[in-house]
Amino acid sequence: MTELSKTGAAVGEPTSSPSNAPDAFLAVRDLKVHFPTDDGLVKSVDGLTFQVEKGKTLCIVGESGSGKSVTSLAIMGLHRLGARGKNVQMSGEIWLGGKELVSAAPDEVRRLRGREMAMIFQDPLSAMHPYYTIGNQIVEAYRVHHDVNKKTARKRAIEMLDRVGIPEPDKRVDNYPHEFSGGMRQRAMIAMALVNNPELLIADEPTTALDVTVQAQILDLIRDLQKEFGSAVVLITHDLGVVAEIADDVLVMYGGRCVERGSVDDVFERPQHPYTWGLLGSMPRIDRETSERLIPVKGQPPSLINVPSGCAFHPRCPYADVPKGDVTRTVRPELQQVGGGHFSACHLSPEDRTRIWTEEIAPKL
Amino acid sequence: MSETKKTDEAKTDAASGEREVLLKVEGLQKHFPIRKGVLQRQVGAVKAVDGIDFEVRKGETLGVVGESGCGKSTMGRVITRLQDPTGGSIHFEGKDITRLNTAGMRPLRRDIQMIFQDPYGSLNPRHTIGGIVSAPFRLQGVEPEGGVKKEVQRLLELVGLSPEHYNRYPHEFSGGQRQRIGIARALALKPKLVVADEPVSALDVSIQAQVVNLMDDLQEELGLTYVIIAHDLSVVRHVSDRIAVMYLGKIVELADRSSLYEAPMHPYTKALMSAVPVPDPKRRGAKSERILLRGDVPSPISPPSGCRFHTRCWKATEICKTTEPPLLELRPGQRVACHHPENFADQAPQDTVLLTAAKEAAELVSDKVLAKSPETEASSEDAANDK
């Protein structure tokens, strides 16, 4: 953790040479985002690695406080905002289309933000400015990156509103955010995010505040637009239903680290981490009538200041005593490949994992 | 709720229909006036709850689902008399409580308790947990056996907290723990009816399961009756015996759990359930069963005429626009308010011409849904033809 000395605008480092650039469109390597507070160092993200290709969707799943939102803010270069952001310590690499963002100057990141990468937030009412019309806000987002006059930009805004399914876009463009319903506001925010045809779209819980019927509409819209624009999408959610619906790849986060990563089929059919089992077991399902009790994960999510030693999940893990000795309490498990493109960070032996999954967990789901 | 429990109950009561009715609601209305001008004259009303009937039987769990703005939370607040109804009647254990004043309600507050959605907003940050959970005893002048403190500590233990938490403050607890405190407070006076408004929606999935299981156990242990209001249909399916589906201030369907989820009769119920994402990537191909609804819920200030769902329904015909369908018991234990129900004989077979809006709506519904099952033949044929 010596490289954690960097704060704020980072100086260039050797790793950012182009020869080191990965093939994937978005690649995150060993990302760490730590916030010093009076109570101690909050390790929101503590060594995260993943990548997303264009046209693919990665879903990041986890409970509140697992670091999923901080990850997305770090990619967007927005982690420095807010009271705690001033002293943020960040290390690792974020590669977007061959450019390294952790070491890039804030100005450079700002130029990319909105054009190359855009973000949709959970609560569109607080993410939009209440004082400006929807149209003005989209026009602004467009004109920051395109040298066009207001009239052209307004035309573009109307076109985008129409594209995301707002009825009568030429009239609604002059409405204020409060005049829109929740679903329409989320659509308008998607229009705003996509106005510059970004190649990376990050959606942080885009449907959590919405009703299921509207959620279905919005997920459909994101999927259609992705097909049309070929963007890479990183979707952050806690709803495994949404993940199964839209993801190509899944990353499960716990205590600021990735505990399992793989294709959506791998993670749902052959999950390899007890925490993933816990998430699957604690979800009531609409598609079957279970009279069985839910199988909750016992205990509380960990504090990010005092992350438990060894495997961060061990205090809540029902299988923490299965591996011999106190390895789960003392040694932090590293991500290991458990199948093609499927990784898991767990001390359980592959045999134990397979046995527990097929005999104990899967039949109860 | 566990199956074993249900069979136990089935033994004691010959049929659930004979179970004693605890709460009976008839024609319940709650309108919020909209006032304008210097004289504050009423220019309209938000018809949050607009004429609903249902009953809750002893020991059962009634789930209430619907989209935001359908009036489900208002309904919960009115049946607990936290708000006064505009019309209709509420009977609790056979006693009319619709017009009782504060003093009249006080003895009943023991029997009717509420669990709130927001575990942060519903606990006073300046009171200790002991103070919060013992408040019901203080207010009702109840002296429990062995003293208040001991009883509060027993309650804390009951909901899975430690008795040592007695002197702590709410901010020291996580969301799930706070929700447990809210539950302990609701249970302090051994209520007969607990109305829970979105009890788990603010919690993480793993914690959500803990609280759902806790509510289950407590029901079994204490013989509680629940009205659980939630927007999450998966949770409601898991916890409820019977379920009411609300749309714009009305109940559109009221049925026992398995009938409702296996053979929903109201098109809205069907659309609502098809929209819930299933945590199973293999089912992604089965998306053809999904029904996308167009647009948003209309305003409850001026709800659509006739059937309130006709503006978004793919089966709507002229009669839906003009006549409001009554909530009828079409199948034993399954009440539906629809002229053209799914999975059942058409209630208005003479009316076959689809509204223009319905044709547009049908474009978003896959053929698989429109494809007829023998019972729905009449109506779905029209839909297919018109398409």
Side-chain angles (χ1 to χ4, degrees):
Chain A
M1 241 178 280
T2 46
E3 74 270 55
L4 272 177
S5 53
K6 256 183 301 155
T7 61
V11 279
E13 53 175 319
T15 48
S16 58
S17 63
S19 58
N20 210 354
D23 304 332
F25 175 63
L26 170 72
V28 172
R29 283 179 186 165
D30 197 28
L31 180 70
K32 289 181 183 163
V33 187
H34 296 178
F35 297 92
T37 66
D38 293 343
D39 297 326
L41 191 63
V42 178
K43 297 178 182 170
S44 292
V45 182
D46 200 21
L48 194 64
T49 301
F50 65 87
Q51 52 187 41
V52 194
E53 301 290 348
K54 268 191 200 175
K56 294 280 182 201
T57 303
L58 171 81
C59 279
I60 303 183
V61 210
E63 292 179 90
S64 23
S66 61
K68 27 190 220 311
S69 289
V70 172
T71 306
S72 63
L73 292 176
I75 298 172
M76 291 291 291
L78 296 173
H79 55 283
R80 291 192 198 96
L81 302 180
R84 284 204 206 125
K86 302 250 168 350
N87 309 315
V88 61
Q89 302 172 351
M90 183 160 147
S91 73
E93 298 164 37
I94 301 170
W95 292 89
L96 182 80
K99 281 184 280 285
E100 211 287 307
L101 302 184
V102 175
S103 58
D107 270 353
E108 220 170 300
V109 180
R110 188 189 303 141
R111 271 195 295 279
L112 295 175
R113 199 184 306 138
R115 196 173 57 192
E116 297 279 317
M117 52 187 183
M119 187 154 173
I120 307 171
F121 297 90
Q122 172 173 353
D123 179 6
L125 192 57
S126 50
M128 284 180 160
H129 201 299
Y131 197 70
Y132 296 97
T133 62
I134 300 273
N136 271 338
Q137 298 184 48
I138 302 180
V139 162
E140 191 194 346
Y142 192 59
R143 292 188 72 207
V144 165
H145 296 288
H146 292 82
D147 186 20
V148 292
N149 60 27
K150 277 189 181 157
K151 214 172 141 195
T152 324
R154 186 184 153 89
K155 230 196 217 152
R156 170 80 183 158
I158 295 173
E159 184 189 311
M160 283 313 294
L161 287 177
D162 188 38
R163 181 63 202 83
V164 297
I166 304 265
E168 299 182 277
D170 46 336
K171 292 206 184 88
R172 302 309 297 254
V173 70
D174 293 323
N175 280 166
Y176 289 90
H178 74 267
E179 297 174 272
F180 274 36
S181 71
M184 291 221 298
R185 249 178 248 140
Q186 198 56 288
R187 282 169 191 271
M189 189 140 77
I190 294 175
M192 198 187 301
L194 294 180
V195 71
N196 295 308
N197 290 339
E199 290 174 303
L200 171 68
L201 180 67
I202 300 177
D204 187 357
E205 304 264 10
T207 58
T208 307
L210 306 174
D211 281 313
V212 272
T213 52
V214 183
Q215 166 170 296
Q217 294 169 0
I218 297 290
L219 289 180
D220 254 34
L221 178 67
I222 292 178
R223 203 169 9 218
D224 286 354
L225 292 171
Q226 180 184 32
K227 227 176 266 169
E228 192 179 320
F229 296 103
S231 342
V233 173
V234 176
L235 195 138
I236 292 162
T237 180
H238 66 273
D239 187 338
L240 289 173
V242 170
V243 176
E245 191 78 27
I246 200 166
D248 294 301
D249 294 304
V250 185
L251 190 155
V252 183
M253 278 188 86
Y254 188 81
R257 291 171 65 87
C258 168
V259 294
E260 182 158 7
R261 172 157 60 94
S263 74
V264 67
D265 289 327
D266 281 340
V267 173
F268 280 85
E269 310 273 311
R270 298 169 285 279
Q272 296 288 327
H273 197 282
Y275 179 60
T276 318
W277 301 339
L279 287 181
L280 289 168
S282 48
M283 259 192 97
R285 300 189 43 159
I286 193 165
D287 56 334
R288 45 189 85 148
E289 179 140 352
T290 45
S291 316
E292 300 283 325
R293 291 164 59 83
L294 298 173
I295 317 156
V297 187
K298 63 178 184 191
Q300 306 290 330
S303 139
L304 291 171
I305 295 175
N306 295 311
V307 181
S309 62
C311 173
F313 187 57
H314 87 257
R316 304 176 76 191
C317 181
Y319 309 104
D321 295 323
V322 175
K324 283 208 176 67
D326 53 359
V327 63
T328 51
R329 286 167 192 79
T330 50
V331 183
R332 191 150 78 169
E334 293 301 323
L335 269 185
Q336 282 167 352
Q337 188 151 4
V338 291
H342 188 184
F343 298 85
S344 161
C346 180
H347 285 304
L348 287 174
S349 68
E351 298 77 41
D352 280 340
R353 276 199 298 258
T354 316
R355 181 182 55 79
I356 294 170
W357 165 248
T358 48
E359 288 172 18
E360 293 181 29
I361 310 290
K364 285 195 199 146
L365 292 180
Chain B
M1 185 154 328
S2 66
E3 200 62 35
T4 48
K5 181 189 163 208
K6 233 177 279 165
T7 42
D8 287 351
E9 271 164 6
K11 273 181 218 155
T12 49
D13 314 279
S16 65
E18 287 169 30
R19 243 190 251 171
E20 202 181 326
V21 171
L22 186 68
L23 180 82
K24 191 171 174 63
V25 172
E26 280 172 316
L28 189 70
Q29 285 183 328
K30 176 67 189 174
H31 295 181
F32 295 98
I34 304 168
R35 297 181 197 280
K36 268 214 172 117
V38 267
L39 295 176
Q40 290 293 296
R41 238 191 314 209
Q42 186 174 344
V43 292
V46 176
K47 293 168 186 151
V49 175
D50 203 16
I52 59 173
D53 311 86
F54 64 89
E55 66 270 355
V56 185
R57 303 193 191 104
K58 238 177 207 162
E60 77 166 355
T61 302
L62 177 76
V64 181
V65 285
E67 291 173 271
S68 37
C70 74
K72 51 189 195 306
S73 288
T74 306
M75 188 276 295
R77 290 170 162 271
V78 173
I79 60 173
T80 48
R81 286 297 312 279
L82 294 179
Q83 277 170 343
D84 291 327
T86 312
S89 68
I90 309 162
H91 286 82
F92 182 75
E93 291 191 306
K95 187 181 174 198
D96 188 348
I97 62 165
T98 325
R99 298 281 161 221
L100 284 184
N101 55 18
T102 319
M105 266 313 283
R106 184 148 300 140
L108 285 166
R109 294 271 173 229
R110 266 187 221 193
D111 296 333
I112 307 174
Q113 284 287 333
M114 194 149 179
I115 299 171
F116 296 93
Q117 167 173 9
D118 179 6
Y120 294 84
S122 56
L123 302 178
N124 189 332
R126 303 186 57 166
H127 289 187
T128 61
I129 301 312
I132 289 169
V133 180
S134 63
F137 298 115
R138 215 166 49 238
L139 294 171
Q140 291 281 347
V142 175
E143 185 62 41
E145 232 177 289
V148 173
K149 183 165 182 185
K150 205 165 164 211
E151 179 64 11
V152 169
Q153 291 182 330
R154 190 189 68 82
L155 282 164
L156 289 178
E157 234 166 326
L158 183 71
V159 298
L161 294 170
S162 151
E164 286 92 70
H165 291 150
Y166 189 86
N167 285 320
R168 299 241 203 118
Y169 286 89
H171 73 262
E172 298 173 59
F173 294 89
S174 67
Q177 288 176 318
R178 285 177 201 220
Q179 200 58 299
R180 288 169 189 270
I181 296 165
I183 293 174
R185 174 175 61 183
L187 296 180
L189 297 167
K190 303 197 172 67
K192 292 174 179 150
L193 176 70
V194 175
V195 177
D197 188 358
E198 303 271 14
V200 296
S201 60
L203 309 175
D204 273 316
V205 239
S206 69
I207 309 298
Q208 189 174 315
Q210 293 175 0
V211 173
V212 165
N213 282 349
L214 171 69
M215 290 181 67
D216 248 13
D217 294 344
L218 292 173
Q219 183 171 43
E220 218 158 320
E221 228 166 282
L222 308 173
L224 297 172
T225 307
Y226 286 132
V227 173
I228 295 184
I229 299 162
H231 70 279
D232 186 329
L233 285 105
S234 319
V235 170
V236 167
R237 173 167 201 175
H238 190 83
V239 300
S240 311
D241 297 298
R242 289 192 307 138
I243 293 158
V245 182
M246 284 186 74
Y247 186 75
L248 270 183
K250 292 266 185 199
I251 290 181
V252 295
E253 184 160 3
L254 177 61
D256 59 87
R257 160 171 76 165
S258 44
S259 320
L260 189 90
Y261 280 85
E262 270 147 38
M265 283 159 98
H266 200 285
Y268 178 65
T269 314
K270 197 167 175 176
L272 199 59
M273 287 191 325
S274 78
V276 178
V278 175
D280 184 354
K282 273 183 294 186
R283 294 270 301 245
R284 219 188 282 187
K287 223 186 66 200
S288 51
E289 289 161 25
R290 162 152 308 165
I291 301 163
L292 269 189
L293 288 182
R294 187 166 282 231
D296 294 305
V297 182
S299 154
I301 297 171
S302 50
S305 62
C307 172
R308 293 181 175 195
F309 188 52
H310 86 255
T311 50
R312 300 168 84 195
C313 182
W314 64 99
K315 297 177 102 182
T317 58
E318 197 54 39
I319 188 173
C320 303
K321 211 168 155 184
T322 52
T323 318
E324 188 175 320
L327 189 67
L328 294 177
E329 184 151 355
L330 294 182
R331 253 193 230 135
Q334 191 162 15
R335 277 183 264 170
V336 186
C338 182
H339 293 299
H340 310 291
E342 297 271 330
N343 301 316
F344 198 75
D346 207 312
Q347 298 298 293
Q350 73 287 357
D351 205 37
T352 54
V353 184
L354 284 179
L355 295 174
T356 348
K359 283 181 204 158
E360 282 172 19
E363 284 167 21
L364 291 172
V365 179
S366 70
D367 298 337
K368 212 166 166 184
V369 175
L370 295 175
K372 49 195 167 249
S373 67
E375 284 171 326
T376 54
E377 199 158 327
S379 54
S380 49
E381 217 165 40
D382 308 330
N385 288 347
D386 278 301
K387 223 186 144 195

